[in-house]
Amino acid sequence: MENRSGILKIQGLDISESSVYPVFFAVLFFYLTLLISNLGVLILIITEKSLHQPMYLLFCNLSVNDLFGNTVLLPRLLADMFYSTKFTTYGQCVTQAFCSHIFGSASHMILIIMAFDRYNAICNPLRYTSIMTRKTIIKLSVCAWGFSLVLVSILLGLTIRLSRCRSVILNAYCDNASLFKLSCDDVSINNLYGLVFTAVLFGSSIGSILVTYLRIAIICWTKKSKELNNKALQTCATHLLVYMIMLWTGFLTIILHRFPDYPYLRKLAYILFHVVPANLNPIIYGMQTQTIRQKILQIFLRKVSST
């Protein structure tokens, strides 16, 4: 058996020499774009007192999660593209897996809260400020992060207890499934909890989004208000688009662990899951929001006039 401080070899990121540079610069471009856009939205909301409102606090949660998840994973992924042999310690691998799963879980939980926020904004506009108070948003945010932390801690805790008889990770990055596949012990408990974890997370996510949007659709249908329909379409369609991208790429990443013959498809799903929503979120929730858009234009015009 290998000791717990052993070195692991990552074999899931083999890219031909002719294609490494295009892939590297593409991933680097998207990573820098999401860094600049998410940091920009985050700094703007923090510095502008008029934006210290419940809806914008949710934007902050989303931006922090996108920055956290991608900064933990993508720089290492970019660095590994130029090494023929990729090594990592077991401790680093567990840390990366923990952060990756926290990122995925928190993404679902935050989007559930945002769907609830949109429901109240569209269907209960007169009561919105009394329902979605700053205190309520803080409580919901703490619950979202806390729920993710507990679920992921149990998930990784069950894996860390296992002894290891292998040292090769057949994946582009470290996650729970890659880690417990290193063991020759009985991993039925890990598989069972992994299924429960996935069912609880995806079930609560899909169920909440489905119920919320069905109720919004019913309200729009019964009231037959053009203004209400336009508001619902503008705020909900893009939210649903990002959610569907995140949902299906997450599903693909999980399912393709069962099919090791498709490593490149799994790498593509992994990059899409992390990069695409993180790049779209600042545009959809930032630039599309009139107040934030006006603040950005004011800052830009202020700088232009001062030069």
Side-chain angles (χ1 to χ4, degrees), residues 7-170:
I7 301 298
L8 306 179
K9 184 178 179 181
I10 300 176
Q11 282 193 339
L13 197 62
D14 298 324
I15 301 174
S16 63
E17 190 174 343
S18 60
S19 61
V20 66
Y21 286 103
V23 173
F24 174 84
F25 284 112
V27 175
L28 178 63
F29 171 77
F30 285 118
Y31 176 57
L32 292 176
T33 303
L34 73 88
L35 274 181
I36 294 167
S37 57
N38 280 284
L39 274 174
V41 170
L42 197 58
I43 292 169
L44 179 65
I45 293 172
I46 292 171
T47 55
E48 290 289 335
K49 290 185 178 180
S50 60
L51 297 178
H52 293 178
Q53 299 174 29
M55 180 172 64
Y56 304 115
L57 292 177
L58 290 176
F59 293 171
C60 287
N61 271 285
L62 209 56
S63 291
V64 167
N65 190 50
D66 288 336
L67 289 168
F68 163 75
N70 286 282
T71 300
V72 166
L73 298 172
L74 290 184
R76 177 59 190 260
L77 194 70
L78 289 167
D80 282 345
M81 288 183 187
F82 290 98
Y83 294 98
S84 56
T85 53
K86 297 94 178 175
F87 295 101
T88 186
T89 65
Y90 184 74
Q92 290 172 342
C93 199
V94 170
T95 301
Q96 189 182 62
F98 179 80
C99 294
S100 175
H101 286 289
I102 287 287
F103 166 76
S105 303
S107 295
H108 281 275
M109 299 307 300
I110 294 167
L111 287 176
I112 289 173
I113 299 171
M114 294 186 79
F116 179 66
D117 175 77
R118 292 300 83 207
Y119 167 76
N120 284 294
I122 293 167
C123 302
N124 297 307
L126 299 178
R127 297 177 56 225
Y128 176 77
T129 53
S130 62
I131 296 173
M132 301 302 291
T133 62
R134 188 182 301 181
K135 188 176 180 180
T136 300
I137 292 297
I138 292 172
K139 285 182 178 179
L140 289 173
S141 299
V142 170
C143 287
W145 288 98
F147 185 71
S148 302
L149 184 62
V150 170
L151 284 179
V152 174
S153 295
I154 297 172
L155 185 76
L156 269 298
L158 289 172
T159 297
I160 293 171
R161 70 184 175 86
L162 299 171
S163 59
R164 301 189 307 279
C165 60
R166 303 181 186 93
S167 60
V168 178
I169 292 180
L170 299 174

